[in-house]
């Protein structure tokens, strides 16, 4: 019985160390860089970088809109300090507002690489009547996703690594003790 209690105690200590102490959470959140979405915005030809555009990300849960700085001469943008979750994305370029037709998800401390091509809406496309949440201005066209690469999957994040580590250590701690699977509390022979 004693070895089982020891194993459970070891597992408990490993879980606390892997996930952090509750007292440290406030400090960690204050210094948390958050998640990131970055990429390049191209003009309608799909080749020319769109300088001077802004990328907007609307967080579907908090209903907060994040806005990038103006894209540089190479069309590069970056949105940092984002909470994890799903975002509706739009590009505000000199010609108007362009939305993408799907949401983008980022994990905690994750990164999404998203290159976009802004252009007019296709005839009969539903996006021409669509609005970007939180903005009153009409949508001009589509921001087609040219390249999408999600980085930082769950199992590469701190939480994912902690979960995997705890699982492996827990299996090792609670695993067989070399007794062939016999219970510590089996009845003794008379």
């Amino acid at each position: 019985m004693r070895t089982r209690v020891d194993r459970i105690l070891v597992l408990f200590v490993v879980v606390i160390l892997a996930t952090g102490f509750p007292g440290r959470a406030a400090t960690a959140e204050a210094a948390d860089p958050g998640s990131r979405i970055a990429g390049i915005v191209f003009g309608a030809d799909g080749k020319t970088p769109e300088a001077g555009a802004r990328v907007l990300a609307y967080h579907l849960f908090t209903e907060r809109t994040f806005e990038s700085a103006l894209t540089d001469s190479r069309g590069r943008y970056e949105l940092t300090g984002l909470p994890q979750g799903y975002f509706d994305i739009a590009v505000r370029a000199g010609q108007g507002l362009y939305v993408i037709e799907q949401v983008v998800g980022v994990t905690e401390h994750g990164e999404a690489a998203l290159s976009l091509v802004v252009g007019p809406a296709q005839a009969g496309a539903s996006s021409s009547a669509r609005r970007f949440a939180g903005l009153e201005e009409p949508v001009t066209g589509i921001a087609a996703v040219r390249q999408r690469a999600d980085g930082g999957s769950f199992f590469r994040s701190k939480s994912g690594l902690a979960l995997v580590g705890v699982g492996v250590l827990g299996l090792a701690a609670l695993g067989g003790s070399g007794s062939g699977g016999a219970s510590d509390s089996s009845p003794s022979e008379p």
Side-chain angles (χ1 to χ4, degrees):
M1 185 72 162
R2 172 105 170 112
T3 58
R4 183 178 175 110
V5 171
D6 290 342
R7 289 180 187 154
I8 291 172
L9 183 60
V10 167
L11 181 60
F12 178 73
V13 170
V14 168
V15 168
I16 293 296
L17 291 174
T19 58
F21 295 101
R24 292 188 336 181
T27 306
E29 287 176 14
D32 185 6
S35 300
R36 177 177 179 262
I37 299 174
I40 301 173
V41 177
F42 295 96
D45 65 1
K47 297 177 185 176
T48 307
E50 187 73 29
R54 289 191 191 271
V55 177
L56 308 169
Y58 177 80
H59 191 257
L60 298 178
F61 181 72
T62 63
E63 298 180 349
R64 183 174 167 205
T65 301
F66 298 85
E67 189 169 342
S68 74
L70 293 174
T71 55
D72 64 13
S73 62
R74 295 159 106 188
R76 293 180 299 189
Y77 73 92
E78 179 179 48
L79 291 157
T80 58
L82 303 174
Q84 73 178 16
Y86 293 98
F87 293 87
D88 197 7
I89 304 291
V91 177
R92 183 181 285 131
Q95 306 87 353
L97 185 68
Y98 302 85
V99 296
I100 70 171
E101 294 185 309
Q102 72 259 14
V103 296
V104 173
V106 291
T107 60
E108 180 180 9
H109 307 291
E111 180 175 321
L114 195 66
S115 292
L116 306 165
V117 178
V118 296
Q122 303 296 324
S126 61
S127 296
S128 60
R130 184 174 174 244
R131 294 228 179 259
F132 184 75
L135 297 178
E136 296 298 321
E137 65 189 277
V139 171
T140 306
I142 302 292
V145 177
R146 180 175 187 194
Q147 177 185 7
R148 179 181 177 150
D150 293 327
S153 70
F154 173 74
F155 289 104
R156 290 184 185 177
S157 69
K158 288 180 183 179
S159 300
L161 290 173
L163 179 65
V164 170
V166 167
V168 169
L169 290 173
L171 288 174
L174 296 176
S177 61
S179 62
S183 170
D184 291 343
S185 61
S186 58
S188 59
E189 294 182 31

